[in-house]
């Protein structure tokens, strides 16, 4: 028997008992090892086929369901299970929230070893579908085929796709009929663009061969009613490009910003590309509590606008501002949190490593007539030093909202050297947040923690922690 075959085992009548990191659910094998699953819900009783064996765990998938969990619900989307998004769509929303909260608490206590106050219940999202304000779709001339399609003898017809990457496969695109993540007219725009491209023989991209015309399409919507569409072309074909863009502008007059990129390089990131405005403005606006934020094609903005407002309110409430404090906002991005808390602070200093983000932050502050914020660009672990503190003042409160990797240990150490009265730590990854909290535990205690669900139907969760000096 080969080693590969020896690793595969079948376990029968196993109960799925929990949900863990990265959306995997958990069962226990008869030998005591944990089994990580991606196609079951806690409470299911199943047969498991393993495909990976390690010292302390297996990875596998459910092959037979003997009993379905009462935590289950019917997925809305026809693409569930094939598409890489919305992996928890088969679990009822109240149970999604339960497991998200549980993961945050487990990470803070097991990784961070911090003592927690009474935990405030997770804040669920009012909208569990159609909540995203930004979606990116890819074109492909060789769409992903399901097993049923491959095994059928029928003519599969059109092989073109406009949709999402299959998980773990950079060159395979699932053709999406209807996506439940972004509100209308997102689906209508995507489907119309695909149909028009097919009717007019506009070539869909082939990633492996680097051929074709149409690469990607981004749709951004906003709480103000603005809509941005950006189409990325692989080559410069003026006639075909204008044919498509004119059709989009005429068919969807509600689009306020129609833009394009011509990108002939190997990858489809637009951040090093020139974005050209074809029709309307080169930006859209988001609004939050009287503030307006100008969003261009390359801007970062929280993808769930309604929950971003809730997240920022919690952040401001945790800071407990009285109107006089000097606040440092680390990893400020385009300065949304800095501007949101500014009216209750004396002064806010925002620091960010991406120059374009700081340009946008300054522009938005000017747009909002905010005079008590300042923004500086640079690598956090270099800029955020003693000279910076001497120049700009000793902060009363530090707000930090780092990327998924958390804060560099030098930044954590500098925060400890500065020793502000309070730290409000906003995180999209409670595991790295917990690691950083452990480094600060000797000097600071966690006095509040609040999980916020920004991404229903997925396992992702944000968490806000208030740290106060011991």
């Amino acid at each position: 028997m080969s080693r590969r075959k020896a690793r595969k085992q079948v376990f029968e009548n196993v109960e799925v008992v929990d949900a863990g990191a990265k959306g995997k659910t958990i069962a226990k094998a008869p030998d005591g090892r944990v089994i990580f699953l991606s196609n079951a819900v806690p409470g299911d009783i199943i047969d498991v086929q393993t495909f990976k064996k390690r010292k302390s765990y297996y990875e596998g998938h459910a092959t037979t369901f003997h009993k379905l969990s009462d935590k289950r619900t019917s997925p809305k989307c026809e693409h569930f299970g094939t598409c890489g998004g919305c992996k928890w769509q088969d679990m009822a929303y109240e149970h999604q929230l339960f497991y998200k909260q549980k993961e945050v608490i487990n990470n803070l206590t097991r990784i961070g070893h911090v003592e927690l106050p009474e935990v405030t219940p997770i804040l669920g999202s009012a909208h569990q579908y159609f909540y995203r304000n930004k979606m990116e779709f890819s074109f492909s001339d060789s769409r992903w085929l399901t097993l049923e399609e491959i095994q059928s003898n029928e003519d599969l017809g059109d092989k073109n796709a406009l949709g999402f990457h299959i998980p773990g496969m950079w060159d395979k695109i699932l053709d999406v009929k209807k996506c439940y993540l972004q509100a209308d007219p997102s689906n209508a725009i995507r489907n119309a663009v695909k149909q028009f491209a097919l009717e007019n023989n506009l070539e869909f991209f082939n990633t492996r061969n680097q051929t074709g015309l149409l690469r990607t399409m981004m749709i951004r919507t906003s709480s103000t009613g603005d809509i941005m569409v950006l189409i990325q072309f692989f080559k410069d074909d003026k006639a075909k490009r204008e044919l498509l863009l004119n059709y989009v502008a005429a068919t969807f007059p509600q689009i306020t910003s129609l833009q394009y990129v011509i990108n002939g390089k190997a990858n489809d990131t637009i951040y090093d590309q020139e974005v050209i405005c074809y029709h309307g403005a080169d930006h859209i606006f988001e609004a939050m509590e009287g503030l307006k934020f100008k969003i261009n094609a390359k801007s970062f903005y929280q993808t769930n606008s309604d929950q971003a407002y809730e997240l920022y309110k919690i952040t401001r409430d945790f800071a407990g501002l009285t109107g006089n404090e000097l606040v440092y906002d680390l990893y400020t991005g385009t300065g949304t949190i800095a501007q949101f808390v500014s009216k209750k602070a004396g002064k806010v200093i925002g620091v960010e490593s991406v120059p374009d983000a700081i340009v946008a932050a300054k522009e938005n502050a000017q747009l909002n007539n905010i005079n008590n914020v300042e923004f500086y660009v640079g690598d956090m672990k270099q800029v955020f030093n003693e000279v910076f503190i001497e120049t700009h003042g000793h902060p009363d409160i530090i707000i930090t909202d780092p990327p998924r990797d958390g804060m560099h240990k030098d930044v954590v150490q500098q925060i400890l050297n500065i020793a502000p009265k309070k730290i409000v730590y906003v995180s999209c990854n409670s595991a790295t947040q917990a690691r950083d909290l452990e480094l600060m535990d000797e000097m600071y205690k966690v006095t509040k923690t609040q999980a916020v669900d920004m991404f229903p139907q997925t396992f992702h969760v944000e968490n806000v922690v208030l740290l106060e000096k011991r």
Side-chain angles (χ1 to χ4, degrees), residues 7 35 64 94 116 138 148 169 213-214 216 228 257 262 277-278 334 341 344 349 376 434 437:
R7 279 204 299 264
I35 310 170
T64 305
E94 66 268 26
L116 294 181
S138 296
E148 291 77 15
M169 297 188 183
L213 176 68
L214 301 174
T216 68
M228 177 189 291
S257 172
I262 298 166
C277 185
Y278 188 76
T334 53
V341 304
K344 293 199 173 183
I349 306 286
Y376 299 92
L437 293 180

Side-chain angles (χ1 to χ4, degrees), residues 244-256:
L244 177 59
L245 294 172
N246 288 340
Y247 166 76
V248 172
T251 309
F252 299 97
Q254 64 269 56
I255 293 172
T256 54

Side-chain angles (χ1 to χ4, degrees), residues 13-34:
N13 288 296
V14 173
E15 183 178 3
V16 184
V17 293
D18 205 351
K22 298 183 179 175
K24 300 283 188 185
T25 49
I26 295 168
K28 281 282 182 75
D31 62 9
R33 287 184 177 92
V34 166

Side-chain angles (χ1 to χ4, degrees), residues 18 94 101 131 152 250 257 289 303 331 360 373 382 409 447 458:
D18 205 351
E94 66 268 26
Q101 173 111 50
Y131 59 81
S152 76
S257 172
E289 211 175 74
T303 49
Y331 310 92
V373 295
Q382 293 171 350
K409 63 181 188 302
T447 56
T458 79

Side-chain angles (χ1 to χ4, degrees), residues 218-237:
M218 176 176 74
I219 302 176
R220 296 185 93 140
T221 54
S222 82
S223 56
T224 63
D226 287 345
I227 300 169
M228 177 189 291
V229 174
L230 182 145
I231 296 176
Q232 187 174 180
F233 299 89
F234 179 59
K235 55 192 178 186
D236 191 357
D237 186 324

Side-chain angles (χ1 to χ4, degrees), residues 62-88:
T63 55
T64 305
F65 290 83
H66 297 291
K67 181 188 169 206
L68 293 178
S69 170
D70 59 6
K71 296 179 175 66
R72 279 186 169 272
T73 191
S74 297
K76 284 181 180 284
C77 181
E78 67 179 280
H79 305 296
F80 175 77
T82 308
C83 173
C86 301
K87 289 182 179 175
W88 278 7

Side-chain angles (χ1 to χ4, degrees), residues 20 189 455:
I189 293 170
F455 306 105

Side-chain angles (χ1 to χ4, degrees), residues 27-28 31-36 53-58:
K28 281 282 182 75
D31 62 9
R33 287 184 177 92
V34 166
I35 310 170
F36 291 111
K53 180 181 179 181
R54 293 289 182 265
K55 190 174 180 180
S56 60
Y57 69 89
Y58 297 97

